[in-house]
Amino acid sequence: MASSSSSSSSSSSPQTDTCLNFITHLLKALKDAMMNVFFHDEIPEPLSPASASSTRLKHQVFLSFKGEDTRLNFTAHLLKALKDTGMNVFFDEETLEKGEQLSQALSRAIAASNLSIIVLSVDYASSKSCLAELSDIMRRKDTQGHIVLPIFYHVNPSDVRNLGGSFKKSFNGHGSNRLPQVQRWKTAFAEVGKLKGWHTEGGKFDRPETEYIKDIVEYVIKKLMSGKFKSTSAELVGIDDQKQTILRLIEQEDSRLIGLWGQGGIGKTTLSDVIYNEISHNFENTCFLLNVREKLKKQGMESLRNQLLSELLNQAIHVDTPSIGSTLIQERLNNKRVLVVLDDVNDSDQIDCFGVKHFGDGSKIIVTSRDRQVLKNGGVDKIHEVKKLNDNDSLQLFSTFAFKQLNPAADFRDLSNKFVEYAQRSPLALRVLGSKLYKKSRTEWESEVDKLKEYDQPKISHILRSSYDDLDEVEKNIFLDIAIFFKGTLKKDVEEILSCCYKGAVCGISNLIDKCLLDNTSYNGWICMHDMLEEMGKDIVRKESIDPGKRSRLWSAKDVYQVLKYNKVSLNCIYILFIFHIFV
């Protein structure tokens, strides 16, 4: 931070000498008291690329702000909260305005920090040194992957992106747009507005600032503890803990084949992609086969396997037999320590067909599937169930798509919570719903809330529907019966009733749990199903016929009344009507 005092003269004066003497004595007294004091002259020179990775950075956080706006309120409280966690925060409270150029000391402080927090307040852009500071931060973000976390403090993020509102006047006061430094500042300022951050609007409808500060501190700690200081990504919200769990599995010698199991859209592919990118440099050759299920339908096993072998052996391979019969190819694979991801596998035979047993010692194979039994039958060593997000991460992920920031706008927070509750912590649902609501008015949001329980969400349904389509006929019928009649019913009662209708109903319910079409909590005694799966089931039945009497199942009292009144019921609907009258 740099405050907005006038520039000091470059020449020395008696007052300057007196000030320097005082600071020197004060610095010595503080150090004599064993205090850790930051002093500009002691900031290390920028690290060379060779030594940067091996040397610990001096500061965890660099805090940039406009002194007059927030020094005595928000920024002071944020600084205390960060320091209370033991973080080393660079907080340049005393530096005077130095003009248009960023001081070497401040530039070195930014370089010596893991991440920067920029508190963008109303008059931030009026300070030339603040803009120079911000420009340097954004340059390091683009060239060195420096993490930047903006806080839009009582300002509209769109005004930052578009240089509007009070910022237009501030930039006009800095001179002609043709000046190189002004153009650099504008570009950097607009880029900050595009980043995801926190928007504190103030007013009676907003959250207390203490809640925002708590969220910010928790997020900073999570980023610093991850060990990888990269730019934030919406896709990665809430997966750090699971990533670390899988990395620990990979380090185990007896974990060669690792399965990631979970419902469609829960984040298996994202998680495996993050891990693949993080560890791929440790292997001789790597391959990430995305959407195995879909690709097999289009190009067949032989073609897809040849693609995998070609990438691992660095030459075009053509094997047209059911198995890898060539001894030479097997021996070459045996000499390779490789990393392979097989994404969205739906048949255990596929794992063996890809030839994973021939990969060399130390190889790691990650297989993602919606069916736990596929992983078990495929011989995986360890299975990790990919978990849903917690409530805080769910709201953050939703907000990154609905608002392009890490927290919802104050006057949309109540509605945001409703959408997050409906999505039930499913990353896919949160992304789809958030994207659908971006830049929509509150009236439109309220309309979407009203439709949540009435209409299926097409993009979500497309992913979930593929799991349904893979079921056999008995499993499809069981799924539809549960979606329409038995959600929230005791499992033993459902098994007893459906066993009268289908052979193998108990096994069918177990298979639905393995395929994530029923929640795993069903084992606790109750049948549980995600709301979106319930709505998908109802939508499937609705599309059977425009005439309710020709549908296989009825659940609307209005439809049942009309069908019975006008005697339009079909034979396949009779037993469903019987069940309806028992349970409704």
Side-chain angles (χ1 to χ4, degrees):
M1 187 285 298
S3 58
S4 57
S5 303
S6 59
S7 302
S8 57
S9 172
S10 58
S11 60
S12 179
S13 66
Q15 291 88 351
T16 302
D17 293 338
T18 302
C19 181
L20 288 174
N21 289 333
F22 172 76
I23 291 175
T24 301
H25 294 309
L26 176 60
L27 177 64
K28 182 179 185 303
L30 290 171
K31 286 189 172 183
D32 288 344
M34 303 301 289
M35 293 187 186
N36 184 5
V37 183
F38 170 79
F39 187 63
H40 280 174
D41 289 345
E42 296 182 337
I43 298 179
E45 291 296 323
L47 300 174
S48 66
S51 62
S53 60
S54 61
T55 304
R56 186 175 181 270
L57 295 179
K58 188 176 182 66
H59 312 290
Q60 279 86 39
V61 179
F62 182 96
L63 195 54
S64 176
F65 65 103
K66 179 69 165 61
E68 290 83 348
D69 287 352
T70 64
R71 177 192 288 128
L72 299 179
N73 45 61
F74 181 87
T75 300
H77 299 313
L78 175 60
L79 174 68
K80 183 179 185 302
L82 290 168
K83 286 191 170 182
D84 284 348
T85 66
M87 275 186 260
N88 188 341
V89 184
F90 178 80
F91 181 80
D92 189 28
E93 185 177 18
E94 302 297 335
T95 302
L96 300 178
E97 179 82 9
K98 293 180 176 60
E100 299 176 357
Q101 299 298 321
L102 183 70
S103 71
Q104 290 185 357
L106 284 176
S107 183
R108 290 197 295 268
I110 296 170
S113 302
N114 293 127
L115 60 82
S116 292
I117 296 176
I118 305 175
V119 183
L120 294 159
S121 53
V122 174
D123 287 325
Y124 184 97
S126 66
S127 167
K128 292 180 179 180
S129 59
C130 278
L131 291 175
E133 191 173 285
L134 181 145
S135 181
D136 188 75
I137 290 171
M138 293 303 291
R139 179 180 64 82
R140 295 183 186 278
K141 171 186 177 296
D142 294 336
T143 60
Q144 301 172 16
H146 187 74
I147 298 174
V148 181
L149 303 177
I151 299 171
F152 303 97
Y153 187 76
H154 298 180
V155 298
N156 194 323
S158 65
D159 286 341
V160 179
R161 290 192 293 271
N162 302 313
L163 307 181
S166 64
F167 304 121
K168 182 178 181 181
K169 180 179 179 181
S170 294
F171 278 103
N172 288 339
H174 294 317
S176 172
N177 290 337
R178 287 176 290 183
L179 292 174
Q181 68 268 31
V182 175
Q183 189 56 51
R184 285 197 302 271
W185 296 342
K186 282 190 170 184
T187 300
F189 198 78
E191 286 301 311
V192 170
K194 298 176 184 177
L195 299 180
K196 302 171 185 67
W198 292 266
H199 184 197
T200 68
E201 297 183 68
K204 63 180 180 179
F205 295 110
D206 200 0
R207 291 193 296 163
E209 289 187 356
T210 53
E211 290 187 21
Y212 282 110
I213 289 173
K214 181 175 181 291
D215 287 349
I216 294 165
V217 172
E218 288 178 354
Y219 189 83
V220 169
I221 290 173
K222 187 183 296 184
K223 293 301 295 182
L224 294 175
M225 290 183 65
S226 69
K228 301 291 287 184
F229 306 110
K230 299 178 180 179
S231 299
T232 58
S233 167
E235 298 293 332
L236 308 185
V237 171
I239 72 167
D240 280 343
D241 290 342
Q242 296 197 75
K243 183 188 77 172
Q244 294 304 322
T245 298
I246 297 168
L247 288 175
R248 286 193 292 270
L249 287 178
I250 289 174
E251 291 174 357
Q252 298 174 12
E253 291 186 8
D254 61 345
S255 296
R256 172 185 173 88
L257 195 56
I258 300 168
L260 304 188
W261 168 63
Q263 178 182 310
I266 203 169
K268 302 183 298 297
T269 302
T270 300
L271 191 54
S272 58
D273 182 47
V274 171
I275 293 167
Y276 178 84
N277 289 327
E278 186 157 325
I279 67 173
S280 58
H281 66 279
N282 295 323
F283 296 83
E284 296 178 54
N285 294 85
T286 63
C287 182
F288 193 116
L289 277 186
L290 188 65
N291 296 326
V292 169
R293 175 203 304 256
E294 292 298 322
K295 288 181 178 177
L296 284 177
K297 293 178 183 178
K298 297 178 181 178
Q299 62 188 91
M301 171 55 75
E302 291 178 8
S303 173
L304 195 57
R305 182 180 59 195
N306 286 337
Q307 177 185 330
L308 170 66
L309 297 178
S310 298
E311 291 195 33
L312 296 182
L313 297 177
N314 296 322
Q315 81 174 89
I317 301 293
H318 299 285
V319 178
D320 55 6
T321 57
S323 63
I324 303 176
S326 170
T327 303
L328 178 59
I329 291 179
Q330 291 180 14
E331 289 177 350
R332 290 176 64 190
L333 288 173
N334 215 343
N335 293 326
K336 291 279 189 178
R337 181 176 178 271
V338 302
L339 171 66
V340 172
V341 175
L342 304 177
D343 174 62
D344 197 17
V345 171
N346 66 334
D347 189 327
S348 58
D349 291 339
Q350 296 165 2
I351 300 175
D352 186 56
C353 287
F354 280 117
V356 299
K357 64 184 178 183
H358 300 300
F359 299 164
D361 291 341
S363 294
K364 299 293 179 179
I365 304 97
I366 299 173
V367 183
T368 76
S369 181
R370 305 174 194 179
D371 191 335
R372 180 170 51 184
Q373 199 60 41
V374 165
L375 298 174
K376 290 180 179 179
N377 294 343
V380 301
D381 300 307
K382 301 287 174 61
I383 296 178
H384 172 78
E385 180 181 355
V386 180
K387 302 293 195 301
K388 295 178 180 178
L389 302 176
N390 61 37
D391 291 338
N392 185 56
D393 288 335
S394 296
L395 186 59
Q396 282 192 1
L397 182 59
F398 175 79
S399 297
T400 58
F401 287 90
F403 304 100
K404 306 305 180 187
Q405 58 190 43
L406 289 172
N407 61 284
D411 53 343
F412 282 84
R413 188 172 183 84
D414 56 335
L415 293 173
S416 296
N417 286 328
K418 290 182 179 180
F419 282 106
V420 169
E421 181 181 1
Y422 173 72
Q424 295 183 8
R425 298 178 292 157
S426 166
L428 173 64
L430 293 164
R431 290 197 297 268
V432 173
L433 291 174
S435 298
K436 185 176 183 180
L437 295 163
Y438 181 53
K439 289 192 174 180
K440 294 287 183 69
S441 67
R442 183 176 175 87
T443 301
E444 291 172 300
W445 276 56
E446 291 170 343
S447 177
E448 288 296 329
V449 168
D450 293 337
K451 291 194 299 184
L452 282 180
K453 298 297 182 180
E454 295 295 328
Y455 301 101
D456 195 17
Q457 302 295 316
K459 292 183 181 179
I460 301 170
S461 177
H462 176 73
I463 301 295
L464 302 181
R465 177 64 187 257
S466 62
S467 292
Y468 170 82
D469 290 338
D470 285 342
L471 303 176
D472 62 37
E473 288 305 310
V474 171
E475 290 171 342
K476 286 181 179 178
N477 280 312
I478 293 173
F479 172 81
L480 294 176
D481 290 347
I482 291 175
I484 293 169
F485 300 112
F486 300 117
K487 180 183 175 184
T489 305
L490 279 171
K491 184 167 177 267
K492 63 182 182 64
D493 290 342
V494 177
E495 290 175 343
E496 182 179 350
I497 293 169
L498 294 185
S499 292
C500 298
C501 306
Y502 316 107
K503 292 182 179 180
V506 174
C507 182
I509 292 173
S510 177
N511 288 341
L512 292 178
I513 293 173
D514 283 344
K515 297 176 189 296
C516 295
L517 292 173
L518 291 179
D519 285 356
N520 199 29
T521 49
S522 299
Y523 285 126
N524 295 331
W526 298 87
I527 292 289
C528 302
M529 176 184 282
H530 195 287
D531 289 348
M532 286 179 292
L533 287 165
E534 175 191 1
E535 292 304 318
M536 182 185 75
K538 290 180 178 179
D539 190 59
I540 290 170
V541 175
R542 285 192 197 101
K543 292 176 179 177
E544 291 175 350
S545 175
I546 298 176
D547 184 355
K550 295 181 180 180
R551 297 174 188 164
S552 62
R553 293 156 181 83
L554 296 175
W555 62 94
S556 165
K558 178 182 177 182
D559 288 342
V560 172
Y561 175 79
Q562 292 295 323
V563 167
L564 293 177
K565 180 178 180 180
Y566 297 105
N567 195 27
K568 290 184 176 182
V569 65
S570 60
L571 289 176
N572 67 340
C573 205
I574 291 177
Y575 92 92
I576 299 299
L577 284 170
F578 174 71
I579 293 175
F580 179 89
H581 284 290
I582 291 177
F583 286 93
V584 177

